[in-house]
Amino acid sequence: MPYFDVVIVGAGAAGLFCAAQAGQRGLRVLLIDHAERVAEKIRISGGGRCNFTNRHLDPRTGHQHYLGQNPQFARSALSRFTPQHFIDLVEKNGIAFHEKHKGQLFADRSAQDIVRMLLDACALAGVQRWQPCTIETIEAEAASRSGPSRYRLHTSQGLVQAHNLVVATGGLSIPKIGATDFGYRIAKQFGLPIVAQRPGLVPLRFAGEDWAPYADLAGVALPVRISTGEKKAAIAFDEDLLFTHRGLSGPAILQISSYWQPGQPLTIDLLPHLDIAAALQEAKASSKKQLPNLLAQWLPTRLAEAWCQHTPAWQGPVNQCSDKALAQLAHSLSHWQITPSGTEGYAKAEVTLGGVDTQALAQQSMQAKQQPGLFFIGEVVDITGWLGGYNFQWAWASAYACAQALQAASA
Ligand code: FDA
């Protein structure tokens, strides 16, 4: 029966990187994935260009860009493998990249260059890959028994033994390219707690009367300030908003969706860089423009028209509007409150919030505290990043921490 120092389940971002790092450290590594194609999420990420990290991630405060029951858990790994470490690798491999927006780094040519870099590193490090291969059962030897083998896996390619088992099976997002709940099931098998999952970085749906005036605006986009939550839980993002056929999307919505709780309203400032109340008063003194035409100076025309169409007081020339009507218009534009009816679900979500409870893991190594030799890395863990390369950086950093620990344990 084949024997490995470590079997890694899931050949996505975290699994591939961990395999290469562990292999480079002299460990015998087997990487198993049930999907036909390797690293599908990297391939489709960042619009095909892979936003592989974020320059603005400060390792000392990195956890600020992450969600979970305890985002601080991420600090140890993020500070030991920083964005600069990954940038160095990308440069060493001759992959050209550029910064797009708020520190987000993308491959110039294709996300496939990042996949190729990871596969080459695995090949060079002697990593064996079984793919497609399904795991039927996992058995662990009783913790009290000593000896080289701790895990025995029954797979579609036969039985395999390993001293360590790393779970890198990701989250539930995009099931059609291979996402499963297998990692959570392994955690449950070994008695690890799970934080309830929900889709994150996901478009939001809207329905009903409140939404009716905006239902035909698909394609309209504009920069906004979006916020949700109250007091300590309040959070805001300055990003672009996009109207879609079923609701709202764009970076502003994806970011806020990870914080949004069902039933909560969102507050959107449609003109975050303008004092719209003052601008309307100024226009009243000097212009005879119809209000929708005036608003179209600052907003997309279709949105300006939709905004005014159901309120008679907002349809005449600006110089004939009452101060009260203009004040109400200004307030509606800077404090648009609307409550989503739901999300587009895992089919459209970029990430999964929740996952293996970090309380059950050691933050230095990602090893289960109560189960020697069992590790969880990447998105399967209850750590979820903001949009903008933070999720891949967590995948790289948690994989690196795990590989370091595997090396230390085998020394
Ligand atoms: P990942 O999902 O990458 O890999 C898990 C692997 O496990 C898969 O290969 C899967 O086939 C395998 N697996 C699952 N079940 C299994 C089973 N039962 N047996 C064997 N194998 C199994 N992030 C970012 O930082 N920048 C970006 O640009 C983007 N863009 C983006 C676009 C889209 C459309 C999506 C859906 C997601 C992103 N993300 C992103 C998020 C990012 O892709 C994600 O956080 C990482 O891929 C997570 O890496 P993991 O290795 O943890 O899981």
Side-chain angles (χ1 to χ4, degrees):
M1 183 189 323
Y3 173 80
F4 292 87
D5 295 315
V6 53
V7 169
I8 301 174
V9 189
L16 280 166
F17 195 57
C18 186
Q21 290 292 323
Q24 282 165 20
R25 288 166 166 76
L27 300 180
R28 284 164 294 171
V29 183
L30 172 64
L31 181 58
I32 295 180
D33 202 294
H34 70 150
E36 289 277 342
R37 297 178 63 171
V38 76
E40 276 294 84
K41 276 201 191 148
I42 303 181
R43 187 181 63 79
I44 63 169
S45 68
R49 293 245 162 84
C50 184
N51 176 194
F52 55 81
T53 192
N54 194 301
R55 244 194 239 285
H56 290 179
L57 196 159
D58 176 350
R60 287 161 305 176
T61 56
H63 56 282
Q64 286 178 0
H65 299 283
Y66 293 86
L67 296 88
Q69 303 272 53
N70 176 21
Q72 295 270 4
F73 175 89
R75 252 173 75 174
S76 171
L78 290 171
S79 63
R80 282 182 290 141
F81 190 83
T82 65
Q84 191 54 51
H85 287 114
F86 199 78
I87 293 167
D88 290 346
L89 277 182
V90 169
E91 282 176 341
K92 207 171 111 194
N93 281 271
I95 299 172
F97 63 92
H98 59 280
E99 182 171 337
K100 215 171 174 178
H101 171 66
K102 297 190 173 177
Q104 302 168 6
L105 301 187
F106 290 76
D108 281 0
R109 210 185 65 85
S110 163
Q112 297 281 22
D113 291 343
I114 302 291
V115 178
R116 176 53 47 206
M117 176 183 93
L118 296 169
L119 285 174
D120 287 351
C122 284
L124 207 65
V127 172
Q128 282 203 38
R129 289 203 288 123
W130 290 1
Q131 193 171 1
C133 172
T134 49
I135 296 167
E136 284 134 24
T137 56
I138 298 172
E139 293 160 22
E141 287 176 4
S144 58
R145 274 183 59 185
S146 57
S149 162
R150 283 197 288 220
Y151 295 92
R152 189 193 289 254
L153 285 74
H154 295 257
T155 80
S156 55
Q157 296 198 22
L159 207 58
V160 59
Q161 282 188 328
H163 195 53
N164 298 287
L165 179 63
V166 177
V167 182
T169 45
L172 300 169
S173 316
I174 325 277
K176 71 172 186 222
I177 56 165
T180 71
D181 66 351
F182 191 53
Y184 311 127
R185 282 192 273 131
I186 299 175
K188 278 186 198 149
Q189 178 184 338
F190 291 101
L192 275 76
I194 304 283
V195 176
Q197 300 96 344
R198 61 191 172 91
L201 300 180
V202 62
L204 296 174
R205 287 190 188 195
F206 296 81
E209 270 179 35
D210 285 359
W211 179 248
Y214 320 105
D216 293 328
L217 292 176
V220 168
L222 71 163
V224 302
R225 164 161 268 241
I226 191 164
S227 55
T228 194
E230 284 172 5
K231 296 183 182 159
K232 272 191 170 176
I235 180 101
F237 292 96
D238 287 296
E239 289 287 0
D240 285 353
L241 177 79
L242 172 69
F243 288 79
T244 68
H245 289 290
R246 293 204 289 207
L248 295 172
S249 187
I253 290 293
L254 299 187
Q255 293 283 39
I256 211 78
S257 72
S258 295
Y259 291 88
W260 174 71
Q261 297 294 336
Q264 255 185 2
L266 302 176
T267 303
I268 304 175
D269 183 349
L270 292 164
L271 292 162
H273 307 299
L274 182 72
D275 180 347
I276 181 65
L280 288 173
Q281 278 304 324
E282 203 175 298
K284 181 175 175 173
S286 60
S287 169
K288 291 180 185 164
K289 272 192 179 169
Q290 300 286 318
L291 265 180
N293 294 344
L294 179 71
L295 287 186
Q297 286 180 16
W298 305 301
L299 291 173
T301 306
R302 285 166 63 204
L303 177 59
E305 284 166 358
W307 207 261
C308 296
Q309 70 179 343
H310 295 290
T311 309
W314 297 345
Q315 281 165 17
V318 59
N319 62 340
Q320 290 176 25
C321 282
S322 68
D323 286 349
K324 191 175 163 200
L326 291 182
Q328 282 171 343
L329 175 58
H331 189 266
S332 75
L333 288 165
S334 55
H335 293 82
W336 180 28
Q337 279 221 335
I338 189 142
T339 304
S341 56
T343 78
E344 291 283 3
Y346 290 117
K348 293 278 162 65
E350 288 202 6
V351 289
T352 301
L353 293 148
V356 177
D357 194 331
T358 54
Q359 277 193 54
L361 304 175
Q363 59 179 347
Q364 293 280 330
S365 63
M366 311 301 294
Q367 185 166 201
K369 288 177 183 166
Q370 306 296 335
Q371 180 62 40
L374 180 64
F375 297 77
F376 291 84
I377 57 173
E379 199 179 314
V380 72
V381 177
D382 175 33
I383 293 290
T384 307
W386 284 8
L387 188 75
Y390 295 101
N391 285 294
F392 280 136
Q393 188 58 36
W394 168 244
W396 318 136
S398 57
Y400 185 86
C402 175
Q404 275 189 326
L406 289 167
Q407 180 187 27
S410 72

